[in-house]
Amino acid sequence: MTKLTLGSHPYLLGFEQLERLLERNAKSGNEGYPPFNIEQTSERGYRITLAVAGFSEDDLAITVEDRQLVIRGRQRDDDDTRVFLHRGIAARQFQRSFVLADGVDVAGAEMENGLLHVDLERAEPEKVVQTIAIKTQ
């Protein structure tokens, strides 16, 4: 018996890319750090909020690579003169990835009280009706 996938189903033509995106997201290695929320802010708006306490704007990078939103954080520990008696706050790096649907774009990002807010907008889809001519032979 063969495995039925999105790309092989007879009614789902052209969805091979969706299957590849799901596989890529499953392999992206997102762990539980940093914690995040995703909320719908309007009919076409979304907001991803990451808890990035201890990170400054310079420590964070937000990119969109091949319809994938990638948020990276890397703290710089430049001060070698500090002597820690206990270090419970780790200066660890992270990478969080979110797959964006076609038509969803990053509208902006802001930091507020240790939270990084990334706003997304979904464009209004164009309603297109196409008439196909039937050729006779």
Side-chain angles (χ1 to χ4, degrees):
M1 179 174 215
T2 57
K3 179 183 172 189
L4 189 62
T5 62
L6 285 175
S8 67
H9 194 280
Y11 298 122
L12 298 175
L13 301 174
F15 282 88
E16 299 85 8
Q17 181 182 3
L18 178 60
E19 189 170 9
R20 284 192 301 270
L21 285 173
L22 290 171
E23 288 175 5
R24 183 175 65 181
N25 196 42
K27 296 176 186 175
S28 68
N30 276 339
E31 53 188 50
Y33 179 77
F36 66 93
N37 292 336
I38 300 176
E39 61 185 300
Q40 187 166 3
T41 57
S42 67
E43 185 178 331
R44 290 187 169 35
Y46 305 94
R47 174 174 269 189
I48 299 172
T49 301
L50 284 85
V52 292
F55 288 86
S56 70
E57 289 89 348
D58 295 333
D59 296 333
L60 300 169
I62 304 170
T63 58
V64 177
E65 304 166 8
D66 192 25
R67 303 302 312 153
Q68 188 166 357
L69 172 65
V70 180
I71 303 169
R72 294 180 179 93
R74 182 181 187 113
Q75 289 179 320
R76 294 171 185 84
D77 197 11
D78 297 335
D79 192 1
D80 293 334
T81 61
R82 296 168 69 186
V83 177
F84 291 96
L85 300 178
H86 171 75
R87 187 162 187 174
I89 302 172
R92 66 194 238 193
Q93 60 187 14
F94 71 86
Q95 177 175 313
R96 270 280 179 205
S97 301
F98 302 90
V99 177
L100 301 178
D102 287 336
V104 175
D105 295 311
V106 177
E110 64 178 323
M111 288 278 288
E112 175 187 27
N113 300 324
L115 299 174
L116 173 65
H117 302 291
V118 180
D119 293 317
L120 307 172
E121 276 186 10
R122 185 172 30 144
E124 176 78 36
E126 289 184 31
K127 297 187 182 187
V128 177
V129 176
Q130 183 179 6
T131 303
I132 309 300
I134 302 173
K135 295 181 184 178
T136 58
Q137 293 185 7

